[in-house]
Amino acid sequence: MPLLDLSQPGTWPSRLREVLNELRPVFRSWELDLPDRAAPAFDAAIRTLGEALMPHALRGYHFTRLTEEEAVHIRENGLEVLSAGLLERRIASQVTRGKLAEEHAQRLLANNQVRDSNRSGKAWFCFYPAHEVSESGVRSLLGHWGGEALYNFNAEDTELGPILKSLGSPALIEAEVPVAFLSTTNCLAIAVSRLDLIHQDIRSSEYPDKFEDYSTQTLEASMVRRVVLHPGSEFLELTQCQQWYEPLT
């Protein structure tokens, strides 16, 4: 499956560039609000570009917090999308290892957002270099074990908050995510069309699109390139977090 580097339009496969060459007048008119700008033509072009993107994969980065054992499990078995079952297994594992008291485990199981429609069945990625991520956007993800599904409701709890901060280490998962696994091709097609216009000096590069989306399917181990933990050298190299305002712990 060809890997598409969104940051390097010049390296995109020839067939994709051919499609963009054909569709670029439509995207240019839409972007510059020219007289021939038309929503039906734009929508059709986005659908066509989306179909052309389907055979590809994107390199993505998933920010989280993991124990060493969890990191090994993902390397060997792949990355699951969020589910109640996954959260229950992760919590049970920490109880078994003596890292989490049963009482605290039950409180976490009773008070979380794992079944929320905007979280369940998803694994979020940023599809741009990890060091370009906003520090404020990922600090809580890196600082609390269990992700937003747990820390949104429990980070301020005087007992559970410190526990979530103590489990595991900041982690970064680099993966090759098939476009077919994404929520929709429309958002990606819009991002790709704008990146192409920037590459062609038609659109300003002052605020380039930073594409983020989620996988709706579990990524097999072969799709996971690496799982790195702070303060390892790979984590520091990928995130450049040593330049952040506050140190990670």
Side-chain angles (χ1 to χ4, degrees), residues 5 11 22 27 89 132 157 177 186 188 208:
D5 185 346
T11 67
E22 295 172 3
F27 296 138
R89 292 195 304 273
E132 294 181 5
D157 185 281
V177 184
N186 285 358
L188 174 60

Side-chain angles (χ1 to χ4, degrees), residues 130-192:
H131 68 267
E132 294 181 5
V133 74
S134 163
E135 175 183 351
S136 61
V138 297
R139 177 164 289 281
S140 291
L141 288 168
L142 297 173
H144 299 84
W145 180 84
E148 289 181 335
L150 284 186
Y151 75 70
N152 273 352
F153 280 177
N154 300 290
E156 300 304 317
D157 185 281
T158 56
E159 289 184 333
L160 297 178
I163 291 173
L164 295 180
K165 289 182 178 181
S166 69
L167 291 171
S169 302
L172 182 65
I173 300 170
E174 180 183 274
E176 294 183 3
V177 184
V179 171
F181 284 16
L182 299 181
S183 61
T184 174
T185 60
N186 285 358
C187 293
L188 174 60
I190 291 171
V192 167

Side-chain angles (χ1 to χ4, degrees), residues 206-224:
E206 184 177 356
Y207 299 106
D209 285 43
K210 291 186 176 181
F211 181 63
E212 299 178 1
D213 201 356
Y214 58 86
S215 174
T216 62
Q217 299 184 43
T218 291
L219 301 182
E220 299 175 0
S222 61
M223 300 173 182
V224 176

Side-chain angles (χ1 to χ4, degrees), residues 42-166:
F42 177 80
D43 291 344
I46 288 297
R47 287 194 297 270
T48 299
L49 180 55
E51 292 170 1
L53 290 166
M54 281 289 282
H56 301 85
L58 302 177
R59 181 170 299 158
Y61 296 95
H62 178 78
F63 288 81
T64 185
R65 190 177 181 93
L66 300 170
T67 66
E68 290 278 0
E69 296 79 14
E70 289 173 325
V72 171
H73 180 82
I74 292 171
R75 293 186 191 108
E76 295 179 348
N77 299 281
L79 176 66
E80 292 184 56
V81 296
L82 182 63
S83 68
L86 173 61
L87 184 63
E88 289 165 4
R89 292 195 304 273
R90 293 185 68 189
I91 290 175
S93 177
Q94 296 311 305
V95 173
T96 299
R97 295 180 183 278
K99 302 295 185 180
L100 188 62
E102 182 64 35
E103 174 196 353
H104 294 144
Q106 292 305 315
R107 288 173 59 189
L108 291 172
L109 289 171
N111 195 33
N112 61 69
Q113 295 179 314
V114 72
R115 292 178 175 82
D116 285 11
S117 60
N118 62 331
R119 305 190 194 286
S120 180
K122 300 175 174 62
W124 281 91
F125 289 88
C126 64
F127 295 101
Y128 48 86
H131 68 267
E132 294 181 5
V133 74
S134 163
E135 175 183 351
S136 61
V138 297
R139 177 164 289 281
S140 291
L141 288 168
L142 297 173
H144 299 84
W145 180 84
E148 289 181 335
L150 284 186
Y151 75 70
N152 273 352
F153 280 177
N154 300 290
E156 300 304 317
D157 185 281
T158 56
E159 289 184 333
L160 297 178
I163 291 173
L164 295 180
K165 289 182 178 181
S166 69

